[in-house]
Amino acid sequence: MRYTIHICLLTTLMLTIASCKKDENNDTKTNYEDGVSTVIYDLAGDTEASVADGVEGKERRPFKPFYFKLRGKLQSWDSTAANRKSASWDIAFTDVYNALVYVNDGSNPNGPGYGGPGKGLIIAVDSPYSKVTTAPAVEDMKAYNLKFAGWDGYPQVYNTGWYFYSLTTHLAIPIKNRTFVLMTAEGKYAKLELINVYQGNPPAVTDLYWPAPYFTFRYYVQEDGSRNLRTP
Amino acid sequence: MQKTHLLCMALAMFAIACSKSDTDTPVVNPPEDTTKVDVKTGVYTLTDLAADTAATSGAAAKAFYYSLEDQRTIPASQVQTANWDIAFTGTYNSTILVNNGKAKYSPGYGGPGVGGIYLVKDAAIDAEYYMGPQKAFKTIPARRLFDSAFAHVKTVPVSDDQLLTNDGIGLDYFGPSTDGWAFYDFYGLQFPDANPDSVAHICYSMPRTLIIKTAKGHYAKMVIYSIYKGAPELPTRSGKPGFVTFKYAIQKDGSKQLDLK
């Protein structure tokens, strides 16, 4: 009887592994590196703010936003108007878990770059990062501009995001094979894959206390001004 | 032994089911409500309408479709008919969507609905409690403010092309959302000195009137008093969400006259 249960559990476990395998992120650190893209591992966000009650060492307050310049990998916590309204950053990581990512768009009254020179645009493509080889024409980028990428389907049905989130579990689950095509603050095309918000980029997090937010993401900026986003 | 096998099968089936997308949620239709109410032009208050009573603050409360014209819940199977006017969706069923067959992101897309929605902001009422986006209220808005906000709206203040059809109206400046009818206090900002366990993650209704154009084209206005069972004026963490209490007025003559008693 006991053995039966053990065999049963073992079989179940194997079935689970087999059936879930294709949904899992099999990427390892090494194969995010394609030789031309920039891969950022575990970039710390505002790790002192908390999404839930009573998490030790964390404060109950809104997350402080940070700003990131793709070229040069520069992170800034300077939320002054002078910095926000400048082309010194391309994407801002804001709100809960710092996971609401805005592009630097001077024309978006709800974005952090409002009133500045930023030319930022962002669209989503449901395709793996390496398969996104050309950016759409600028008219299409403008027509489908999401302005931000965060919680998928929020606040409106058409707000395509990069993770699923539940206010019950407070877990942010990244959406696989979704790539964002951007225009940087200076108007260069880029592609971006937001990979994880949890430290160490674990394949699946079930623990609310897993250290967060620590961002893993990769991107490629086409510096020659063309729409070519081909990466190996 | 028999039981072990059953358990084993169940576990194995669960494991196999795991290969499907985790985002697929089963569509459960509530039993059809067949009571007929002859809803005439007038003002109505509905208490504790059960939306998704199994909802926690999780993002995926089941959509709940309601007919202001007939005062009854409508099963999801009739989503592409003009039988429903408002859908309560999203977190705590807090996002209100309308039935518009031409709007790609309306649940009624492809159907005959001609609905729309618009949020009325009343500066005088806001001044009584509102301190700005993502900030705690000056004070929890009293019921009389809801009634005043509702009474102040005597007609549809905008033309039809300003009614929203693809967008829902829900939480006020929660993350990337804009003007809404409820304050979701994620951090417990309203009561900073209290134990966060008891005051974070509460959804406070706001005295803001929603204009609704029904699926059949009649105009209505509504205020939502509460999404908690029993509609407490001061909701707490122990309150049971998923029960909507609201007041609405509907004008059945096709005009925009909403100064109704």
Side-chain angles (χ1 to χ4, degrees):
Chain A
M1 184 70 179
R2 179 167 292 189
Y3 287 117
T4 316
I5 292 170
H6 281 160
I7 289 163
C8 163
L9 285 175
L10 191 67
T11 313
T12 307
L13 189 68
M14 284 165 69
L15 269 165
T16 309
I17 291 163
S19 56
C20 290
K21 198 170 184 183
K22 65 171 178 246
D23 288 344
E24 273 176 19
N25 188 350
N26 291 318
D27 289 330
T28 60
K29 282 190 177 184
T30 44
N31 63 16
Y32 288 124
E33 304 280 357
D34 59 22
V36 298
S37 296
T38 303
V39 190
I40 304 290
Y41 301 102
D42 286 337
L43 178 71
D46 182 2
T47 58
E48 281 158 26
S50 171
V51 292
D53 307 333
V55 181
E56 208 172 308
K58 299 214 175 197
E59 297 170 49
R60 178 169 49 124
R61 57 157 174 79
F63 286 72
K64 291 173 186 158
F66 71 84
Y67 307 84
F68 193 84
K69 177 86 176 161
L70 298 177
R71 188 182 181 180
K73 303 189 267 189
L74 298 171
Q75 184 184 26
S76 164
W77 292 91
D78 181 0
S79 274
T80 60
N83 187 50
R84 283 190 288 108
K85 295 185 203 181
S86 77
S88 69
W89 58 278
D90 299 308
I91 49 177
F93 290 74
T94 72
D95 210 75
V96 173
Y97 275 136
N98 293 118
L100 172 60
V101 178
Y102 280 93
V103 286
N104 187 349
D105 173 7
S107 69
N108 175 13
N110 299 314
Y114 184 55
K119 294 176 182 161
L121 297 167
I122 180 169
I123 64 153
V125 183
D126 277 324
S127 183
Y129 180 82
S130 64
K131 301 245 162 55
V132 176
T133 56
T134 312
V138 70
E139 305 81 61
D140 290 330
M141 291 284 291
K142 284 180 178 162
Y144 295 99
N145 184 20
L146 295 167
K147 300 178 182 173
F148 57 83
W151 180 0
D152 193 59
Y154 180 84
Q156 304 297 345
V157 180
Y158 52 78
N159 289 124
T160 307
W162 71 276
Y163 64 92
F164 300 115
Y165 185 66
S166 158
L167 281 165
T168 309
T169 62
H170 299 291
L171 295 171
I173 301 161
I175 296 165
K176 305 280 193 293
N177 297 323
R178 181 166 286 171
T179 306
F180 295 94
V181 176
L182 312 184
M183 189 162 271
T184 66
E186 284 154 358
K188 298 273 169 57
Y189 284 101
K191 63 177 175 179
L192 168 71
E193 182 181 19
L194 294 157
I195 298 164
N196 216 327
V197 70
Y198 294 105
Q199 191 171 43
N201 184 25
V205 162
T206 51
D207 175 8
L208 172 62
Y209 304 104
W210 197 290
Y214 291 88
F215 292 92
T216 297
F217 57 105
R218 64 172 164 169
Y219 58 89
Y220 174 73
V221 182
Q222 178 50 270
E223 295 288 353
D224 71 8
S226 78
R227 286 155 49 194
N228 179 14
L229 296 176
R230 189 175 294 278
T231 51
Chain B
M1 194 64 188
Q2 192 89 24
K3 276 183 184 165
T4 315
H5 279 139
L6 278 172
L7 177 72
C8 181
M9 291 253 301
L11 283 170
M13 281 172 75
F14 176 75
I16 290 161
C18 188
S19 62
K20 287 190 197 148
S21 165
D22 288 346
T23 58
D24 286 347
T25 48
V27 177
V28 182
N29 295 335
E32 191 163 1
D33 181 355
T34 50
T35 39
K36 284 275 178 195
V37 182
D38 185 18
V39 180
K40 297 184 167 69
T41 295
V43 183
Y44 304 90
T45 300
L46 297 165
T47 54
D48 283 344
L49 275 185
D52 185 353
T53 55
T56 59
S57 51
K62 283 195 292 286
F64 166 77
Y65 303 94
Y66 194 76
S67 168
L68 298 175
E69 299 261 8
D70 297 329
Q71 245 166 56
R72 61 194 180 105
T73 58
I74 302 297
S77 58
Q78 295 178 28
V79 74
Q80 281 177 300
T81 69
N83 293 351
W84 64 276
D85 301 310
I86 49 175
F88 296 87
T89 67
T91 300
Y92 281 151
N93 294 111
S94 63
T95 300
I96 318 281
L97 291 168
V98 288
N99 185 349
N100 190 299
K102 291 198 173 73
K104 192 177 169 191
Y105 298 100
S106 164
Y109 181 57
V114 296
I117 188 168
Y118 182 81
L119 180 79
V120 182
K121 287 203 320 182
D122 183 325
I125 300 286
D126 275 6
E128 301 250 358
Y129 72 96
Y130 192 66
M131 299 296 283
Q134 294 173 342
K135 291 198 169 67
F137 293 149
K138 196 184 293 178
T139 170
I140 301 292
R143 266 311 128 80
R144 64 169 178 83
L145 285 182
F146 289 78
D147 295 328
S148 300
F150 185 79
H152 287 180
V153 176
K154 299 182 190 307
T155 184
V156 177
V158 292
S159 59
D160 269 19
D161 61 3
Q162 286 179 269
L163 301 178
L164 302 175
T165 56
N166 278 308
D167 289 30
I169 294 177
L171 303 177
D172 187 65
Y173 291 91
F174 182 60
S177 73
T178 55
D179 292 324
W181 65 268
F183 168 42
Y184 190 90
D185 192 2
F186 190 95
Y187 299 100
L189 301 174
Q190 189 65 42
F191 296 100
D193 300 327
N195 177 356
D197 287 346
S198 63
V199 294
H201 296 284
I202 292 173
C203 181
Y204 298 97
S205 289
M206 289 160 62
R208 285 182 173 174
T209 306
L210 295 164
I211 298 290
I212 307 286
K213 189 180 181 187
T214 68
K216 296 186 177 92
H218 294 125
Y219 294 96
K221 62 177 178 177
M222 68 187 285
V223 281
I224 301 166
Y225 291 115
S226 172
I227 54 114
Y228 293 96
K229 191 172 190 178
E233 275 200 48
L234 178 58
T236 63
R237 188 68 173 272
S238 57
K240 179 96 185 83
F243 295 85
V244 190
T245 294
F246 65 93
K247 178 162 76 173
Y248 79 103
I250 187 165
Q251 174 56 266
K252 301 279 277 193
D253 71 4
S255 78
K256 294 182 171 179
Q257 207 282 100
L258 291 175
D259 190 13
L260 304 169
K261 297 282 184 297

